[in-house]
Each structure stands twice: as structure tokens, then as C-alpha cells.
Amino acid sequence: MEAAAQGGERISSLQLLRRNRVKLVDELRDRIDWILDHALQIQLISEDDFEDVKYNPGPRRKVRALLDIIDCRGEAVADQFCSLFKKTKDVSEKETVSKEHSILIKKHKQVLSRRNEVMMYYNSRAGEKIHLSDQFINLLLVKGHHSLEFKRHELLSFGQNRIHLQKRNSEQMDIKPGQLFMQVNDKRAPNKTLVSGVAGIGKTVLLQKIVYDWANNQCFDNFEFVLQFTFRDLNLINKPTSFRNLVLKKNSHLSKALDSIFEAAEKLLIILDGFDEFKFCSSLDGDCFITDPNEDGELVDIIHSLLRGELLMGASVLLTSRPTATNYIPVETIDRFVIITGFSEKEIRNFFLKYYQDEELGHRMFQQVKENEFLFTLCFVPAFCYIVCSVLKENQGEAQKQPKTMTDIYSRYLSALLKHHSRAQATGGEHLTQTLRNLGRLAYSKLLQHNTLFYQHDLEAHQVEVNTLVNSFLDKTCVQEPECVESVFSFTHFTIQEFFAALHYMLEPEPFPDIMNVDTMNEYKMASGFLDIFQRFLSGLLSERNQALLSKQMKLDKTMKPESYCHWLLEGIKEHCENGSSILNLLHCLFEQQNDSLAERINPQNLRIHIGDNVLSPVDFSVLKYFLDMKIGDLEELDLTATNINSAALKNLQPYLHQCERLWCGENKLDFEAIKFLCELLRSSDYKLELLGLGWTDIGNNELRELCDALKDNKTLQELWIEGSNADYGGISGFTEIPSTNTTLKKVVLIGHCLQEEDLTKLSESLKPSNSGLLITGFSDDHDQWEGWCDWILQRCQLCDNEKLNHFLMKIFNEFLQNKTFMWMPQWCKELQQLLKDRIRKCKTEEIRNKLEKLKETISRHC
């Protein structure tokens, strides 16, 4: 309040206070305590005055008492009081705004808490609610991204390695959900975090838990607002929109405050769940950026701009994805990579106890599953832990063989639901079969289109009638569209859709398109791993035991499909064994058959098993051992390149390496224990290794000394390839002593190591007496010396997917060859260029195509 001029006459502060006394009593009553405190601080009133006013009953009397004191103190005190009044008015306005902001935060938290407090299980009955706090079990998060070289969506990768991870001493073990955006090990706090994990591992539940905890003030208190999106919902956006509209679609209560929320972007967390389900996931490479949240643009550009920080700079982003799509995420935009690995053994036990709600029964069921390696491995994935519990509960007390494969579990799950449905509805097998045919046709067509969400008209097009059976497998949500409310459906889990798609293929005499047709397989990029789980389910469904199981509840036509499928599968395995192509998924399909007699029909001329470029799980090893136990021939070659193997994995395969002639273990981080185990093979007369590949395994001097010692008396190994180690002269010099006792070893290739020019000279001098060309520490013009290496590189490139191919060749040309050119290189480079030309022509992803073009230009300089 300031003294004012009125009619040309200046009004003093004292006069102003007297004239507005009644009004001031109303205005100051809610702020009298603040005014009193500050008036005392600036010595506007004495402590006695403060006490006299403070103990008046009621705020209005306090104001009058204070005004009386000011009135007695003269004009100077009145001026000071008016200034204080103005200040408190400004503070009050700010407090009002702050209070409204706090109320909005509280309301937003209440909304998100309500939305996330209940978990939905895959067959929850109507009205059944399972509170997150009752069922959620903490999930282990491992920091690291493994160069984003995940091999597509292998269902059981990572999660089953949980016990091994717990035993490792690694800083990667220390990240908990509440620490996802915290500073760790003195590194800058991340702004963009990617959580990756396989199907069913618990990514969505983890986000649900994070949002629920934030809404209840349990974590992430540095964020004022959390905005939660799923790519399933975002896929419904089919026209340009703005980020503001995306937010308001489910958060209309924020409409008045969005501008201030966007302005304080550093206090905002944006959650994007299920990137692998995004219909534009492979198109996240454009140069069109959205910088204003109110600007309309294509959905893919909005997502790209959020990740790049072009839109809402300073906002934090939490992104989840299956490994199958991580290669499409711009790696440079991510500050922290996290892998979610599923339950621990203790958490599996806890889940069983909670599920059965009977400690004795839960413990007994847990012990039963633990004795079955396959079932126990499945249970590391939370989604399948639930399905395993459901199946075991249904079959409790029945004399049935335990399920052996993933399809066995799903088939029994389906069989149990069909049994209940037929009892409740008195429905015949033909009606059930038709319902499943229609549901399977929907699953199949949408799977091939990469769609996980569908509308009512999609159900009608495939004649899917919503009933109690269909509701067991489909989730329904309602989405507000501009003109109406649309019902949107999805299978309760993506693997359920994959299972029903395989069921459709099994039931349909002539499925269209026929995914097992070679041309169709190429069109739908079967080799990319996109349909691996579908293929495994199909193989399991066409097995005799699951045909017999399902025929009890549904009508199955007698067809030649199982026989024709087995012929296709066995021919594929034979061909892949002979040419060394990647075979892991075919071995999984064979494992799903569980028919040992099929081994008699696999007669490859050579047994070369390539399962490289897959992060192998215990189930993968079980599948490999199942195949090797069939004893279809001597193991000529085993390629374990880039499989994340360790000493335990190698020891697991020890019985099968007796007749292995060529073993490739490159691109794995092998420690001393792993090298020590391989040296035991080299020392043993029972093993026939002729070639050992250890390129890019990060081994050092100690490991090389151990190898040198083992090779002194070895009588079988002819070639040893070790590209890119951490060794120097101290480790490599040991190979100069080998020729004196070993006449079998012809070639040791050690390129890309820590050697100086003087080291190379000393090595050459040391080997002169033996006149040996044994040790190769650099490239030369000798065509014969490098012909085999060139052939191996070319073979690896033919087997790699495009992303791996680019990574692999860039490493070779940038780290080893650089600008060097040798006589044997031009022809080899031309072959590589032709391979790249074919890949570029077939590649449908612009970002990867650009990488391959750049690689082709790099190689052309050596032609």
C-alpha cells in the first residue's frame, strides 16, 4: 500500500491506514501472524507490542490491536507498515499459486495411484483385483547394455541367468528401481534411461510399481510430475497431433497447468512403455524435429524429438523395450542402459507361496518345479511363473507327466481353460474349435502386421465373438476418440498372441500367407528372429503329445501337416549343419518336438553347429545338449562367438567337446578360469581340437602364458586365432618357445595387440632358429597365410544380421586394417562389397541401410 494523491492532495500513509481500517481488518486477518513476525524482525514494533497483539483472541482483534499501535507511532512507522503490507500481499499471491500447484500435484498423484494400484493377471476373473503391494516382488536390474547386440527376442535370455548374476561381484548389481535416475559411481545423473528385458520379464509391472511408488511419495521425489504412456495406446494415433494432446488424452485434469509443467521440464519424468510394440519403431531415424509441445507433428517425430532432447529439453525419459527392438533406438540418446533379469530363486519361492496361499502346498509345488530344470528356468520370467503355477494347480493330484517344453505349458493352460468352459457352457468341441480358429486367425494376421492392438471391427472381420472363453485371452480397454468411445483389444500377453497365431497355422488347412513358404519367410523377415517364438510354438503344437492333449477338448482334423512340418524342420537342420548357418532357433523347434526318433532322419554330411550372436541362457544350453545327445555325427565345428559364455558354460559342454575339431569362442569376455578350462582340453589326449578361435575376448598376459604352457605338448591343435587381446610382449613372447616341443601347431595369429616395433623385432629374432612361420603378429602380402582368415570373415558376415555385420566389419577395417592394403585384399573386398550390395537392396530400415552404405564406402577404399 502506498500513499496516494487524491484531488491533487497527497494522502499520508497514516491517513490511508485510518480511512481503510475496516477493509484492512478483512484483508490482513489471514496473514496477521506473518505480519507480526516480520514487523518484530524489522523492529517496527517492540517485543512488548508483539506480546500485546499476539495474545488477543481471534485474528480480527489482532489486526485492530496492531493498527492501533501503528497509529500511535507516527508517519514514518506507518510508511514502513504500508511497505510490509505490500510485501505480504505479493507473498500471499505466490503462496496461492504454490498452493494450487501443490493441490494439482496431489490430485495427479491420486489419479496415477488409482490407475496403478491393481495388477491384471492373464486370466483374472471379472471383479478380481490383485493389489500391487500384495504380489509385486522386486526385480533385479543389471546396469549395462552389451553394445545393444541382443539377438532378437529370445524368450528366455538374461532372466534365467539370474543365479549366475547374483554370484558375480559386479557394480552392475547395485541399481534398484528407485535409483534409475540417480547419480551412481560419481557419474552424472542420467536423463534418458532404457530398461530392456525379454517377454514377460516384468517391464510393465516394474513401471507400474515405479509410478505407484512415486504417487505415494516413495521414490523419485525430484520429479513433480510423471506422464505415463504405452506404445500400445500410442499406436492408435493415426494422424498428426501435438504432445499436449497426447498428454491430455488421459490427463485432462492437467489442462490448465500444462504450460507451467512444460516450462519446468527438468522436474518432469516421461514414461514410454513397450517400444518394441511401436508400429514405427524401425523409423526412428528422421531429421524432422518437434520443438514445441503445442506443435502438431507425426507421432514418430514426437517420440524421436523427446529422445533427442529437442522437445522438452531437460525432461527425463524412461523407456522400456524387448531386446528385439533396441537396435532401432538411437544409442547416443540413452544415458543409462539397464537389463531387467526377472526373479531370483528366493523370489520364485515367494511367488509360489503367495500364489497358492498355503505355505505347505506352495513349498511342495516349488520343490517339484525346482527338480525340473526346464520348468524352473521358465519361472525366472514372472509372466511364465504365473502360468506354470496355474498349470500345476489345475493338474494337482492328476497322474500326468510334467511338461517338458514351453508349448507344453501353454497347451495345458489352454486345455484347462477349455475344460472349464465346456463344463460351464455345455459347449461341444466343434464350437470351441471354431472359436479358437477365429481367435487364432486374428492373432496370426495381426502378428504378421506387427500389430498388438485391434478394434471391434477387427474382431468382427475375423468373426471373433466376445464371450467368457475369448475374455480369458483378450484384454479390453476404452479409448476416447473425437467422435466416440472406441473399444480396443489386445491379447493378455504378446506370447499369448504368438501361441494363438501358431494354433491358427496348425488348425488351418491352407493358412494365408503361408509363413513356412520360403518366399513368404523372406518377405516377413523370418531370419530376423521376429517369428522365433511363433515357430517354437508351432513345432510344439504339431508334436504328437500336444495333438493328443488338445484333441480331448477340441476337434482336430487329421492332416499331413505334422509330417510335412517335420520334413521341413529336419531338412532345415541338415542344411544348417552342413553350411554352418545359425541354427539355434531350429534346435529349439526340434526340442519342442521331444521325439528322439527324429535323429535317425537327420544325416548331415558335416556337423557344424553355429549358435553364435545369441546371449545364451540355460535353456539354450539344454536345447543344444538335447541335440548333441542325439549323436547324429562327430562334432566338426562349434561356433559360440558372441554368446556371453563363461567357464561354467564351457564346463557344461565338456562331455560334447571330445570330437570337436574347431571351436570358436571369440567376442566373449573370457576370464582366467575359462582359459584354464580350455587349456585342460588342450592338455588332454581325449580331445581333438584342431582350431581354436579366441578373438576379441579381452584376455591378457596371464591367459596367454597359460595357453603357451598347455600347447607345449599338445599334439592336435593346428591353428590358434587371437585377434584383439590385451596382451603385450610379456605374454606373447611365450609362443617363441613352442616350436621346440610342438610340431603340430602351424599358425598362431596374434593381431591387434599391445606390441611396439621393437617387440616385433625381438619376436622375429627369437623365432629365427626354428625357421618357423608360426607366429603372425601383423598382416602381410602372403595370400596363403590369410586366405583361411578371409574365408572365415566372409562366412561370419554371411551369417550375421545387418546390425552385427556392420559392427563386425567396422571393427576389422577401423581397428586392424585402417588404410592398409595387401595383395590378397582387393578380391576379398569385392566379395564383401557384393554381400553388402545384396543386404542394402533388401534392407527396409533406412538407418541400418545408411550404416551399410557407409561401410561399403569404407571397404571400397581397399579394392
Side-chain angles (χ1 to χ4, degrees):
M1 183 184 296
E2 294 179 355
Q6 204 173 47
E9 180 186 356
R10 186 179 186 277
I11 301 175
S12 70
S13 297
L14 203 54
Q15 289 176 312
L16 198 61
L17 291 176
R18 290 170 181 169
R19 289 183 184 183
N20 293 282
R21 182 180 177 90
V22 175
K23 185 178 178 182
L24 285 171
V25 170
D26 287 333
E27 282 191 31
L28 297 180
R29 63 179 180 179
D30 293 330
R31 289 171 270 161
I32 185 61
D33 290 333
W34 187 92
I35 291 175
L36 271 177
D37 289 339
H38 283 74
L40 180 63
Q41 288 176 20
I42 62 175
Q43 297 181 340
L44 189 64
I45 59 176
S46 67
E47 290 187 8
D48 290 338
D49 295 333
F50 178 86
E51 294 292 335
D52 290 342
V53 175
K54 187 76 174 175
Y55 292 103
N56 271 279
R60 297 173 68 86
R61 289 191 179 183
K62 289 180 183 177
V63 176
R64 292 191 188 100
L66 179 60
L67 290 175
D68 288 343
I69 292 172
I70 300 299
D71 190 65
C72 296
R73 297 293 165 84
E75 185 65 25
V77 173
D79 275 339
Q80 285 183 278
F81 182 79
C82 287
S83 299
L84 183 61
F85 171 74
K86 184 178 183 299
K87 184 177 180 181
T88 188
K89 194 171 182 180
D90 294 339
V91 169
S92 177
E93 288 174 355
K94 289 179 182 178
E95 285 178 347
T96 301
V97 172
S98 177
K99 187 175 181 181
E100 291 174 355
H101 191 69
S102 299
I103 291 172
L104 183 63
I105 292 174
K106 184 177 179 180
K107 181 177 180 180
H108 186 57
K109 287 186 174 184
Q110 288 172 343
V111 169
L112 293 190
S113 178
R114 186 179 67 253
R115 289 177 183 172
N116 291 279
E117 67 180 347
V118 174
M119 292 173 65
M120 291 301 296
Y121 270 129
Y122 310 111
N123 192 25
S124 297
R125 293 181 291 276
E128 182 180 14
K129 291 185 177 181
I130 301 172
H131 286 269
L132 195 68
S133 56
D134 293 336
Q135 284 291 338
F136 181 83
I137 298 174
N138 286 326
L139 304 171
L140 178 66
L141 298 174
V142 182
K143 190 177 67 174
H145 60 92
H146 295 269
S147 303
L148 289 184
E149 291 174 15
F150 303 121
K151 173 60 178 175
R152 304 313 171 200
H153 74 259
E154 294 298 343
L155 176 66
L156 300 172
S157 294
F158 299 114
Q160 302 80 336
N161 226 7
R162 178 66 179 266
I163 293 176
H164 166 66
L165 286 169
Q166 287 180 319
K167 293 179 179 177
R168 286 170 51 192
N169 293 321
S170 169
E171 62 174 335
Q172 297 180 341
M173 301 299 299
D174 294 332
I175 294 181
K176 300 185 185 303
Q179 297 175 307
L180 284 173
F181 289 92
M182 289 175 59
Q183 185 176 348
V184 176
N185 294 338
D186 296 326
K187 294 183 179 179
R188 184 174 61 87
N191 197 238
K192 309 287 191 302
T193 295
L194 168 64
V195 176
S196 179
V198 297
I201 204 73
K203 300 182 294 296
T204 298
V205 175
L206 173 66
L207 293 190
Q208 190 178 351
K209 174 67 171 172
I210 285 173
V211 174
Y212 183 77
D213 283 351
W214 172 81
N216 289 279
N217 304 312
Q218 299 297 313
C219 71
F220 293 162
D221 54 7
N222 54 314
F223 297 120
E224 286 190 348
F225 288 92
V226 171
L227 300 177
Q228 189 178 13
F229 301 93
T230 70
F231 281 100
R232 280 194 171 195
D233 289 341
L234 293 175
N235 282 339
L236 300 173
I237 308 296
N238 51 22
K239 60 183 179 182
T241 187
S242 67
F243 185 70
R244 173 184 288 273
N245 288 338
L246 293 180
V247 174
L248 293 178
K249 204 170 183 69
K250 286 192 174 182
N251 301 280
S252 58
H253 58 280
L254 298 179
S255 57
K256 294 181 180 179
L258 267 189
D259 288 338
S260 61
I261 292 173
F262 292 156
E263 286 172 8
E266 68 281 356
K267 297 179 181 179
L268 175 63
L269 171 62
I270 299 168
I271 291 178
L272 301 169
D273 185 26
F275 179 77
D276 52 284
E277 297 180 20
F278 188 28
K279 61 184 177 183
F280 301 119
C281 70
S282 61
S283 305
L284 212 67
D285 55 1
D287 54 4
C288 179
F289 294 114
I290 306 296
T291 57
D292 185 344
N294 300 311
E295 177 185 352
D296 282 352
E298 297 296 336
L299 179 63
V300 67
D301 294 329
I302 293 175
I303 300 301
H304 190 212
S305 300
L306 280 173
L307 292 178
R308 291 280 182 189
E310 299 286 342
L311 177 61
L312 296 177
M313 184 187 303
S316 297
V317 177
L318 178 56
L319 182 70
T320 73
S321 177
R322 280 191 189 186
T324 184
T326 52
N327 286 331
Y328 298 124
I329 298 170
V331 65
E332 66 276 11
T333 67
I334 305 299
D335 304 313
R336 176 168 290 167
F337 299 84
V338 176
I339 301 166
I340 186 168
T341 61
F343 286 157
S344 67
E345 181 177 340
K346 179 181 178 181
E347 287 164 342
I348 295 173
R349 181 188 290 108
N350 289 343
F351 188 94
F352 270 70
L353 296 178
K354 287 184 177 182
Y355 179 88
Y356 288 102
Q357 297 181 340
D358 181 318
E359 187 170 348
E360 183 181 347
L361 177 60
H363 181 72
R364 188 169 74 248
M365 289 298 188
F366 172 77
Q367 288 302 128
Q368 182 180 332
V369 166
K370 191 176 179 182
E371 291 170 4
N372 182 316
E373 181 182 2
F374 175 78
L375 283 186
F376 189 56
T377 302
L378 264 184
C379 288
F380 281 89
V381 179
F384 305 112
C385 190
Y386 171 81
I387 291 177
V388 167
C389 286
S390 300
V391 168
L392 293 179
K393 184 177 182 180
E394 182 64 30
N395 296 330
Q396 188 181 347
E398 296 183 15
Q400 289 190 22
K401 290 183 178 179
Q402 280 198 340
K404 293 183 177 180
T405 73
M406 186 171 65
T407 312
D408 291 354
I409 291 286
Y410 276 62
S411 295
R412 292 194 187 187
Y413 186 55
L414 174 61
S415 178
L417 290 173
L418 291 176
K419 189 188 301 182
H420 285 301
H421 184 80
S422 60
R423 285 174 185 168
Q425 305 292 330
T427 309
E430 290 189 12
H431 182 267
L432 288 176
T433 303
Q434 189 57 50
T435 299
L436 295 180
R437 280 182 187 275
N438 296 342
L439 198 56
R441 191 183 304 114
L442 171 70
Y444 187 73
S445 64
K446 294 300 178 181
L447 178 67
L448 298 187
Q449 296 169 24
H450 291 255
N451 283 346
T452 55
L453 284 179
F454 14 93
Y455 289 94
Q456 181 68 43
H457 63 78
D458 293 314
L459 269 63
E460 292 170 357
H462 293 89
Q463 299 177 316
V464 175
E465 297 179 9
V466 178
N467 54 38
T468 53
L469 177 62
V470 171
N471 283 337
S472 300
F473 305 108
L474 288 185
D475 280 338
K476 175 184 175 182
T477 56
C478 294
V479 177
Q480 179 67 55
E481 295 294 348
E483 298 177 355
C484 63
V485 176
E486 285 269 17
S487 294
V488 181
F489 300 86
S490 65
F491 283 90
T492 50
H493 198 274
F494 188 29
T495 51
I496 299 289
Q497 181 175 346
E498 291 167 305
F499 176 78
F500 269 95
L503 188 67
H504 164 76
Y505 192 95
M506 180 193 79
L507 294 172
E508 194 67 33
E510 295 181 2
F512 181 81
D514 187 348
I515 204 67
M516 306 309 288
N517 176 278
V518 175
D519 293 334
T520 309
M521 288 174 69
N522 291 332
E523 181 182 351
Y524 286 94
K525 299 187 288 187
M526 290 281 280
S528 70
F530 161 57
L531 292 171
D532 282 0
I533 306 300
F534 163 83
Q535 283 187 296
R536 297 179 196 180
F537 277 138
L538 177 60
S539 185
L541 286 169
L542 290 173
S543 66
E544 290 182 8
R545 68 193 184 287
N546 283 320
Q547 292 267 304
L549 173 70
L550 293 176
S551 64
K552 294 177 182 178
Q553 268 78 44
M554 55 189 292
K555 182 178 174 58
L556 298 182
D557 298 327
K558 297 291 183 182
T559 67
M560 294 298 292
K561 192 168 286 187
E563 180 57 35
S564 62
Y565 173 80
C566 282
H567 176 76
W568 173 89
L569 175 61
L570 299 180
E571 284 298 309
I573 291 174
K574 178 182 177 183
E575 179 184 344
H576 282 63
C577 284
E578 290 177 345
N579 62 26
S581 298
S582 183
I583 199 173
L584 182 60
N585 200 56
L586 287 176
L587 296 188
H588 271 281
C589 293
L590 182 66
F591 179 77
E592 289 286 345
Q593 284 281 316
Q594 288 292 303
N595 185 351
D596 295 349
S597 65
L598 293 177
E600 299 172 3
R601 296 164 56 184
I602 307 174
N603 297 300
Q605 295 179 4
N606 313 98
L607 184 56
R608 299 168 58 199
I609 299 179
H610 167 55
I611 55 174
D613 303 317
N614 295 274
V615 178
L616 298 179
S617 71
V619 165
D620 295 324
F621 281 106
S622 296
V623 166
L624 175 61
K625 290 190 290 184
Y626 173 80
F627 179 64
L628 293 175
D629 282 338
M630 289 183 164
K631 303 188 187 309
I632 63 171
D634 289 340
L635 182 56
E636 293 186 18
E637 183 175 72
L638 178 60
D639 191 341
L640 299 171
T641 304
T643 53
N644 203 30
I645 58 167
N646 52 28
S647 58
L650 288 169
K651 290 174 183 177
N652 195 15
L653 294 174
Q654 182 173 1
Y656 308 96
L657 298 178
H658 282 271
Q659 299 301 320
C660 183
E661 296 176 8
R662 298 186 296 277
L663 178 62
W664 299 96
C665 298
E667 299 181 56
N668 295 295
K669 292 187 182 297
L670 299 182
D671 58 13
F672 185 79
E673 283 299 313
I675 298 300
K676 187 176 179 181
F677 169 77
L678 291 173
C679 289
E680 290 174 8
L681 300 188
L682 294 172
R683 290 188 178 98
S684 172
S685 59
D686 294 334
Y687 290 88
K688 312 297 181 185
L689 277 179
E690 296 178 4
L691 181 148
L692 179 60
L694 297 172
W696 299 288
T697 51
D698 291 340
I699 58 178
N701 288 343
N702 291 337
E703 288 79 10
L704 285 191
R705 292 189 189 102
E706 188 74 14
L707 277 169
C708 290
D709 186 64
L711 287 170
K712 287 178 181 177
D713 298 314
N714 176 270
K715 304 300 180 186
T716 62
L717 197 70
Q718 299 175 23
E719 295 185 33
L720 175 64
W721 290 78
I722 311 179
E723 304 98 320
S725 78
N726 291 322
D728 56 23
Y729 183 80
I732 293 173
S733 60
F735 286 97
T736 61
E737 302 174 11
I738 291 177
S740 62
T741 58
N742 185 324
T743 58
T744 309
L745 190 61
K746 305 297 182 186
K747 184 189 297 185
V748 177
V749 179
L750 289 150
I751 54 176
H753 303 281
C754 307
L755 292 174
Q756 306 299 322
E757 284 297 326
E758 56 268 26
D759 296 331
L760 295 173
T761 302
K762 284 192 286 184
L763 286 172
S764 178
E765 292 295 326
S766 301
L767 287 168
K768 270 185 179 179
S770 63
N771 195 26
S772 170
L774 169 75
L775 198 61
I776 301 169
T777 55
F779 290 97
S780 68
D781 279 327
D782 190 334
H783 179 271
D784 293 337
Q785 196 76 272
W786 295 101
E787 183 178 14
W789 186 76
C790 291
D791 290 343
W792 180 76
I793 295 293
L794 189 59
Q795 177 194 356
R796 288 280 294 133
C797 291
Q798 289 167 339
L799 299 176
C800 289
D801 62 34
N802 289 336
E803 192 76 13
K804 176 68 178 179
L805 172 68
N806 178 74
H807 176 81
F808 183 59
L809 285 182
M810 276 296 190
K811 181 163 54 177
I812 289 171
F813 279 89
N814 288 340
E815 293 184 19
F816 290 170
L817 296 172
Q818 297 173 350
N819 296 317
K820 302 171 185 174
T821 302
F822 301 95
M823 293 177 61
W824 46 267
M825 284 185 66
Q827 180 59 37
W828 177 60
C829 288
K830 285 179 182 178
E831 292 181 69
L832 289 175
Q833 279 195 307
Q834 184 58 49
L835 173 64
L836 287 170
K837 187 177 179 181
D838 293 340
R839 292 291 185 92
I840 292 168
R841 178 171 52 83
K842 296 176 182 178
C843 183
K844 296 181 180 180
T845 305
E846 185 178 354
E847 182 183 12
I848 297 177
R849 190 165 58 247
N850 292 339
K851 289 180 180 179
L852 295 177
E853 289 280 8
K854 185 178 179 180
L855 173 62
K856 187 167 172 283
E857 291 175 10
T858 299
I859 294 176
S860 67
R861 294 196 288 268
H862 297 269
C863 291

